[in-house]
Amino acid sequence: MKKNFFILFLINFDSNMFKIKYSKILVLGSGPSGLTSSLYIIRSNINLIIVTGNNIGGQLNNTNIVENWPSIKSIKGSELMKNFYLQILYFNAEVYNDEINYLNLLNKPLMSVGFLNFYYFNFLIISTGCKYKIFNYKNQFKYIGKNISSCAVCDSNFYKNKNILIIGNGDSCFENIFYLIKIIKNILLICRNKIFKTNYNIIKKIFLIMNDKIKFKMNSFLLEFVGDDYLLFYVKIKNFFNFNLNIYFLEGLFLFIGNIPNSNKFFGQLKINKNFILNKKKFLYNYTLTSINQIFSIGDVQDFLYKQAVTSSASGCFSYFDLINSYKKYFNV
Ligand SMILES: Cc1cc2nc3c(=O)[nH]c(=O)nc-3n(C[C@H](O)[C@H](O)[C@H](O)COP(=O)(O)OP(=O)(O)OC[C@H]3O[C@@H](n4cnc5c(N)ncnc54)[C@H](O)[C@@H]3O)c2cc1C
C-alpha cells in the first residue's frame, strides 16, 4: 500500500496535477448519510469538504422509484438524491467530485489521496455506503433498478400479485422472503446449495405457512439473463448434478446473495467486523465514533441491519452531534 501511495504521489507530483486541500472536516461520500451530515455541519456555519465519490447521490441512483421517503408519495431515486445534493450546494458547500484511494488515519496529520487532490483534515466522516453483491453476467446491469432488485422492503410493492424469482440462500434472503410473501403472488427460489443456510425455524415456518406460494430449486445456478432493452423476461438455470437446463419466465427478480460495505480503504486502520466499520455505538456523543477519535462512520458502511435511506440519513444527523461535541473540545470553541 505504501509503495502504491508513493507511486501515486510521484505521478501526481510530476504531472503537476494534484492540489492540496485543507479543511477541518472531510466528508467521504454523497449518499443520504453523507449529505445529511454535511447539511447539519454547514448550517452550523462550519466549513467542510465533501468528496462525493464516483456515484454522486449513492445507491438510490440505482433504483427507479422510492415510495418510502417520508412525506413524498413517490419519487425517482435519482431525483430524490439530486434534491439532497442541490440543498448542499445552496449552502455553498465545498464539493469535489473525486474518489479517495488512500488514507492515512494512524498518524497526524490525517490525510487522504484522491484522483484529483490531496486532502488534509482534522475530522473525518465516512459515509462510503455499501454495494449489493451481484453476479457479473452479461446483460445483468441494464435490468438493475428496473425488474432486478436486491431490496424487498424497497421494491416489493412494485411486484404486487406478480410472479417473481429469487436467487439466494442464507438468513437475509429468508428475511426478505417473509417480507415479499405477503405482497407477491408466487416465488420461485433458486439456491446453489443442496441445503438452506438459515435456521430450522424459518424453514419450518415457510413450509407451514407459505407452502402454496413458494417453490424451490436446489443445486441450481444461473446461466443467463434474457430480456429486451428495458425489462428482463426470463433466466436460464442449470442443475449442478444432472446439467438439466430450465428456462423460467418472471416479472421480477430479486438477488439476495449478500452485500459488501465499501470499507476496504480503511482496513488495517479502523476496527472493522465482517467488512462493516465498528462504531463505539454508545450514546453520550460517541454513537457514530469509530475506533479512532475524530473519525466517524455513518450509513450503510457501518450498518449491518437496517440499510435504508432514512436510517442512513438519521445516522448522518447523529454524526453531527457526535462530531460537534469533540470539535468544540479540539478547537477550544
Ligand atoms: C436498488 C436499490 C434500491 C433501494 N431502494 C431503497 C428505497 O426504496 N428506500 C430506502 O430507504 N432505501 C433503499 N435502498 C437502500 C439505500 O439506497 C441505502 O440504504 C442508502 O443509499 C445508504 O446510504 P449511504 O449514504 O450510507 O451510502 P450510499 O448511498 O451507498 O452512498 C455511498 C457514497 O459513498 C461514495 N463513495 C464510495 N467509496 C468512496 C471513496 N473511496 N471515495 C469517495 N466516495 C466514495 C459513493 O460515491 C456514494 O456517493 C435501495 C438500495 C438499492 C441498491
Side-chain angles (χ1 to χ4, degrees), residues 47-254:
N47 287 339
L48 81 164
I49 283 179
I50 304 165
V51 176
T52 61
N54 59 17
N55 184 9
I56 304 175
Q59 290 173 67
L60 277 190
N61 285 329
N62 305 337
T63 191
N64 202 11
I65 300 291
V66 176
E67 290 184 338
N68 56 9
W69 185 259
S71 89
I72 299 181
K73 262 188 243 153
S74 178
I75 186 167
K76 278 187 103 169
S78 54
E79 191 67 24
L80 178 64
M81 291 320 297
K82 191 170 136 200
N83 292 342
F84 266 74
Y85 191 59
L86 291 177
Q87 192 176 12
I88 286 296
L89 296 182
Y90 171 80
F91 286 107
N92 295 322
E94 191 176 347
V95 182
Y96 295 98
N97 301 150
D98 196 0
E99 173 98 12
I100 294 304
N101 277 306
Y102 171 81
L103 296 109
N104 165 44
L105 306 178
L106 295 178
N107 310 302
K108 300 283 162 63
L110 302 177
M111 182 271 267
S112 68
V113 185
F115 286 107
L116 302 176
N117 302 315
F118 277 31
Y119 303 88
Y120 286 89
F121 46 90
N122 303 96
F123 286 85
L124 174 67
I125 294 184
I126 300 167
S127 68
T128 47
C130 215
K131 49 179 179 269
Y132 283 99
K133 270 193 205 157
I134 41 176
F135 299 112
N136 213 1
Y137 287 97
K138 200 174 122 208
N139 276 347
Q140 172 190 325
F141 293 95
K142 65 180 174 190
Y143 304 123
I144 290 177
K146 289 172 185 158
N147 63 342
I148 296 185
S149 169
S150 293
C151 178
V153 180
C154 316
D155 293 335
S156 52
N157 235 24
F158 304 120
Y159 299 97
K160 255 186 198 157
N161 296 322
K162 293 196 171 168
N163 296 307
I164 60 156
L165 193 133
I166 294 176
I167 299 180
N169 201 339
D171 293 343
S172 88
C173 174
F174 285 94
E175 274 159 30
N176 276 296
I177 290 176
F178 272 120
Y179 194 90
L180 280 164
I181 205 103
K182 292 174 231 142
I183 298 161
I184 51 85
K185 192 172 167 192
N186 286 307
I187 291 177
L188 176 66
L189 174 64
I190 308 287
C191 294
R192 286 177 72 91
N193 321 75
K194 61 177 177 205
I195 49 162
F196 298 119
K197 291 181 178 169
T198 191
N199 76 57
Y200 171 74
N201 284 340
I202 296 187
I203 305 292
K204 202 169 112 188
K205 220 170 175 182
I206 285 181
F207 275 104
L208 281 176
I209 311 169
M210 307 155 180
N211 206 11
D212 55 327
K213 269 195 164 190
I214 186 161
K215 292 197 168 43
F216 305 95
K217 284 274 165 211
M218 308 305 285
N219 300 315
S220 301
F221 67 96
L222 183 74
L223 210 63
E224 201 181 333
F225 291 102
V226 186
D228 64 5
D229 280 347
Y230 192 71
L231 285 180
L232 174 67
F233 296 144
Y234 62 89
V235 290
K236 291 182 183 171
I237 305 283
K238 212 164 190 174
N239 185 289
F240 272 118
F241 294 115
N242 56 25
F243 297 107
N244 282 349
L245 180 74
N246 286 302
I247 288 177
Y248 295 109
F249 284 87
L250 50 87
E251 289 168 286
L253 170 69
F254 282 81

Side-chain angles (χ1 to χ4, degrees), residues 9-37:
F9 178 84
L10 284 181
I11 294 167
N12 280 327
F13 190 79
D14 274 358
S15 57
N16 214 5
M17 273 170 62
F18 82 100
K19 293 193 179 73
I20 290 175
K21 304 285 171 192
Y22 166 74
S23 172
K24 287 179 180 161
I25 301 170
L26 182 76
V27 176
L28 275 193
S30 54
S33 61
L35 293 181
T36 303
S37 180

